[in-house]
Amino acid sequence: MPEPLKPKRLLSIDALRGFDMLMICGADAFFISLKGKTSWAWLDGLANQFEHPEWIGFTFYDFIFPLFLFISGVSIPFSLGKAQELGISKRLIYQKSLIRMLMLIGFGLLVKNAPFPFFDWENIRLGSVLGRIGIAGFITTVLFLNFDTKKRLGIVGAILLGYYAAIFLIPVPGFGAGDISFEGNLVGWFDRTFLPGRLLQGTYDELGILTTLPAICLTVLGAFGGGILKNPSLSQTKKLKQLVITGLICLVLALIWNLHFPIFKRLWTSSYILLTAGMSFLLMGIFYWVIDVLNFKKMAFFFVVIGMNSLTIYLIYRFVSFRYTSRLLFEGLYKPLSDSWHPVMESMGALALVWLLLYFLYKKNIFFKV
């Protein structure tokens, strides 16, 4: 089937973004609430996948933030392509991207520090999810506009190898080089020394300075995936094939690297970046195949409603208790059930309220973006 000359908006990207946001805006609480409610070991195992390991280890929940960084990158070739078609200069693109980064950093500071300590600046946490997305997006935009695909991938390789070398070769006072324990790793020492304000775990913050470098690679790799999807010279089959092959290559490299540099989120290890990038390529491929190739667009609607307003729900979810509202509205329906099942029903109601709010905004054509 011939491809159009100008690629249209891919519903799969919005759907995948919605799937990702759903995991942190209701679905996580629902699955966790199921733990211990039945005798099914697999259900308890599923619930455990929505909790972060304390240090070394990997669960599905560790994939959620990297996937969002990846999706942010996927969108870049489309948005920059449209800007270039409209004749917008590089300078203006840089300016808009910089403003977007600063706005996301600002929102991130608000979310991570609410209630904001206006009179206690030493307790402000500078690291944030939104801030990292903004920084990664800005850097990826600059790289995309100034380097070709091979050079961008080369930069990714250099960052991951450099990060790996730094952790294993630069000695930490009192611990030496190559220590990846919570107390002795280079990342923690660097943030304690150079990052002002409050750290997430007192002496360590996974959203600090050094871990930002490998995180940026996920957005750059996402832009590579977006370039595949946007390429009008590739058939749908070839696009899907390239996404899958790239994903498998990343997974193999991650598993090999894991033998010396363990896969885990807290340190944003190079192997962790490649693992989550590989998973992101494959999941993007699945969504693209089902929604845009097989044309099952109605199935995507549930996720698209969330994905079109991902920033909106992320911010609202931090300041509005949907669980409290769910309990007020629906407790009379599930009160006859055993008390142990009340959190499950409450979480399910909260999830429904989140989606209905986003559906209302979708129908009113209200989208909050930066």
Side-chain angles (χ1 to χ4, degrees):
M1 183 176 180
E3 293 281 320
L5 293 176
K6 290 185 179 180
K8 57 185 178 180
R9 183 183 185 93
L10 294 177
L11 209 60
S12 55
I13 299 176
D14 290 323
L16 183 56
R17 187 185 298 110
F19 168 82
D20 196 41
M21 286 306 303
L22 182 68
M23 295 301 107
I24 57 175
C25 292
D28 55 344
F30 171 71
F31 285 116
I32 290 172
S33 69
L34 290 173
K35 188 174 181 179
K37 300 300 186 297
T38 70
S39 58
W40 298 336
W42 67 268
L43 194 57
D44 290 343
L46 179 63
N48 289 333
Q49 287 299 309
F50 285 85
E51 296 178 352
H52 294 299
E54 289 188 11
W55 189 243
I56 295 179
F58 181 80
T59 64
F60 177 76
Y61 208 43
D62 294 334
F63 172 55
I64 300 306
F65 184 24
L67 177 60
F68 201 91
L69 285 168
F70 181 89
I71 298 169
S72 297
V74 172
S75 302
I76 286 176
F78 292 91
S79 59
L80 292 186
K82 183 178 180 181
Q84 290 172 328
E85 287 175 6
L86 295 174
I88 299 175
S89 66
K90 274 189 179 183
R91 181 179 179 181
L92 186 55
I93 293 174
Y94 292 148
Q95 188 179 62
K96 289 185 175 181
S97 184
L98 178 62
I99 292 173
R100 177 180 183 272
M101 178 184 72
L102 294 175
M103 289 181 66
L104 287 174
I105 289 174
F107 285 132
L109 287 173
L110 178 62
V111 168
K112 291 299 180 184
N113 293 282
F116 199 85
F118 291 101
F119 304 105
D120 189 10
W121 292 90
E122 291 184 358
N123 278 319
I124 293 177
R125 184 186 175 201
L126 296 180
S128 70
V129 169
L130 293 179
R132 178 158 290 184
I133 292 171
I135 293 169
F138 176 73
I139 297 299
T140 302
T141 296
V142 172
L143 294 177
F144 192 88
L145 290 175
N146 292 281
F147 298 97
D148 60 26
T149 300
K150 288 185 179 180
K151 289 180 180 177
R152 293 199 305 272
L153 293 179
I155 291 172
V156 167
I159 291 174
L160 295 181
L161 286 169
Y163 184 70
Y164 170 60
I167 286 178
F168 282 92
L169 296 178
I170 299 176
V172 175
F175 294 92
D179 192 322
I180 58 172
S181 67
F182 176 80
E183 299 83 6
N185 70 84
L186 176 67
V187 170
W189 172 84
F190 194 90
D191 286 341
R192 289 192 297 273
T193 306
F194 299 105
L195 182 63
R198 174 175 60 89
L199 302 181
L200 175 64
Q201 294 165 300
T203 59
Y204 185 82
D205 197 319
E206 65 186 62
L207 296 179
I209 299 172
L210 289 186
T211 55
T212 301
L213 296 173
I216 290 171
C217 295
L218 283 162
T219 306
V220 178
L221 289 170
F224 175 71
I228 293 173
L229 292 172
K230 186 177 181 294
N231 191 339
S233 66
L234 295 176
S235 66
Q236 291 180 328
T237 301
K238 287 184 178 180
K239 290 177 182 180
L240 182 59
K241 184 178 179 180
Q242 288 193 16
L243 289 173
V244 171
I245 291 175
T246 306
L248 292 176
I249 290 173
C250 288
L251 291 181
V252 170
L253 291 175
L255 294 175
I256 294 173
W257 214 336
N258 174 62
L259 298 175
H260 189 251
F261 199 16
I263 294 169
F264 68 107
K265 179 180 185 288
R266 299 298 186 185
L267 202 61
W268 287 75
T269 60
S270 303
S271 55
Y272 167 75
I273 298 299
L274 288 176
L275 175 73
T276 52
M279 294 170 65
S280 298
F281 275 110
L282 294 178
L283 196 57
M284 183 75 256
I286 292 171
F287 271 66
Y288 174 67
W289 176 59
V290 172
I291 297 169
D292 291 307
V293 177
L294 298 182
N295 208 34
F296 291 142
K297 299 191 186 303
K298 290 184 179 179
M299 294 174 57
F301 181 72
F302 177 82
F303 295 121
V304 169
V305 167
I306 304 171
M308 293 289 286
N309 250 320
S310 56
L311 180 59
T312 303
I313 192 56
Y314 184 84
L315 293 173
I316 291 177
Y317 196 77
R318 177 66 179 85
F319 297 99
V320 176
S321 176
F322 287 93
R323 289 178 65 93
Y324 175 75
T325 306
S326 171
R327 186 166 65 252
L328 290 179
L329 292 176
F330 307 127
E331 187 177 31
L333 293 174
Y334 58 74
K335 201 166 187 179
L337 298 176
S338 168
D339 288 349
S340 64
W341 280 93
H342 287 193
V344 178
M345 298 297 108
E346 186 178 291
S347 297
M348 188 182 299
L351 189 59
L353 290 174
V354 166
W355 192 86
L356 288 172
L357 171 62
L358 292 175
Y359 177 70
F360 172 79
L361 296 176
Y362 178 88
K363 293 296 288 184
K364 295 296 182 180
N365 205 32
I366 300 173
F367 305 107
F368 178 53
K369 298 179 181 180
V370 296

